[in-house]
Structures are given as structure tokens and as C-alpha cells.
Amino acid sequence: MSRPVLVLVGPMGVGKSTVGALLAERLDSGYRDTDEDIVTAEGRTIAEIFVEEGEDAFRALEKAAVHRALGAHDGVLALGGGAILDADTRALLAGHRVVYLSMDVEEAVKRTGLNAARPLLAVNPRKQWRELMEARRHLYESVATAVVATDGRTPEEVTQAALDALELKEA
Ligand code: S3P
């Protein structure tokens, strides 16, 4: 059984994949993303799964994908933005090094805008963001061993801040 060198959580569009890939490079490890695992296994996009089966079905797939990856991947692992909604997943994360990449709502709206590939933001993105972060902020914080703010920072700066926060030595 493997365990990830670190797990990235945070809202969609915060840069988990970009920063995750940079962290993996710096740590000379692999990079894995549970959204990609789901898309590969299902042969459908996340948006298609939401539309065809609804959010609950997607969350069940996501929970299974996260649990599998936490026990099978030894590199950097990025979780979909809503993975922390599940209490079992949060409990499982307790034994891991978890970095919460945060951003404020205005930055979020600017970065994601109206993005059809992100079904949760399809209508009125600013209001959706505010509600989403009100519901989730404490959950992200509850699983995090380090919180790294991304506002106004380049992906390289965020990567360095995450390494510093965790005091991880590069490979
Ligand atoms: C979601 C985030 C998305 C994806 C799905 C739902 C969420 O992942 O899992 O659209 O609930 O925040 P990213 O955070 O990788 O965009």
C-alpha cells in the first residue's frame, strides 16, 4: 500500500492541477488527479456524468476514486473541489499531509468565469461561489495540514509556498 507524498484540496480553478504538476516535478514524484481517474474509468466527462446521472452519482464515483488513490498513489494527489464534502473522505484524510490551496471569491470569479465544463458554476457564478465557499471553507480547513493562499501569486510562487509550509525537501 502506498500513500501520497501530499494531497491537494481546494475549490475548482484554484490551480490544483498546475501546482500539483509543479510540486510533483520539484519532489521528483508522480502526479495524479481523481477527476481524471473518474473521466478515464467512465469514458465520459465530469459534466456528462453530472447531466446524465446527477451530482449524487458523481459524488459516489468520486468517493471511490479518492479512497482508491489515497491507498495506491505515492506522488502528489489532487482531489476534485467537492471531495471533502464526504465525511468518510475527510476522516481518511486525517492521516495525510494535506495542502489547502485557497483563493478569495473575486479571484475565483475572475479565474473560472462562466465555465460550462464546471457544472456547479453554470448560473450566476459570483453568487454560486459565495455560497459554495461558505459551505466548504471550514471543511477544507478541517482537513488541511497547511493552507496556502494563491491570490496574486504565480503557480511557481504557490508551489514554493506549499513546499515551505510543509518543510518538504526537494528530491
Ligand atoms: C467540483 C469540482 C470539480 C469536479 C466537479 C465538481 C466541485 O473538480 O470534481 O465539477 O464540487 O467543486 P476541480 O476542483 O478539479 O475542478
Side-chain angles (χ1 to χ4, degrees), residues 9-72:
V9 300
M12 51 198 132
V14 77
K16 289 175 300 229
S17 356
T18 309
V19 171
L22 288 171
L23 280 166
E25 208 175 284
R26 295 277 297 269
L27 295 168
D28 199 19
S29 74
Y31 170 72
R32 182 161 163 176
D33 176 325
T34 55
D35 276 343
E36 278 171 25
D37 288 351
I38 297 166
V39 169
T40 305
E42 289 290 305
R44 296 182 283 175
T45 65
I46 305 275
E48 282 166 347
I49 300 170
F50 262 76
V51 170
E52 289 164 14
E53 291 184 49
E55 181 169 350
D56 289 353
F58 171 75
R59 295 298 172 203
L61 293 172
E62 177 173 53
K63 177 174 179 166
V66 171
H67 288 214
R68 250 194 321 272
L70 282 174

Side-chain angles (χ1 to χ4, degrees), residues 6 17 65 126:
L6 69 89
S17 356
R126 182 169 282 104

Side-chain angles (χ1 to χ4, degrees), residues 1-9 31-35 37-38 61-80 83-84 86-99 143 145:
M1 175 154 162
S2 306
R3 49 190 290 110
V5 60
L6 69 89
V7 181
L8 287 177
V9 300
Y31 170 72
R32 182 161 163 176
D33 176 325
T34 55
D35 276 343
D37 288 351
I38 297 166
L61 293 172
E62 177 173 53
K63 177 174 179 166
V66 171
H67 288 214
R68 250 194 321 272
L70 282 174
H73 178 64
D74 60 9
V76 174
L77 180 68
L79 307 190
I84 44 75
D86 185 85
D88 296 333
T89 298
R90 293 199 300 278
L92 213 64
L93 286 171
H96 291 273
R97 225 185 243 136
V98 181
V99 178
V143 297
T145 37

Side-chain angles (χ1 to χ4, degrees), residues 5-6 16 54 101 127 137 157:
V5 60
L6 69 89
K16 289 175 300 229
L101 297 183
K127 178 167 175 282
R137 191 173 291 112
E157 288 167 342

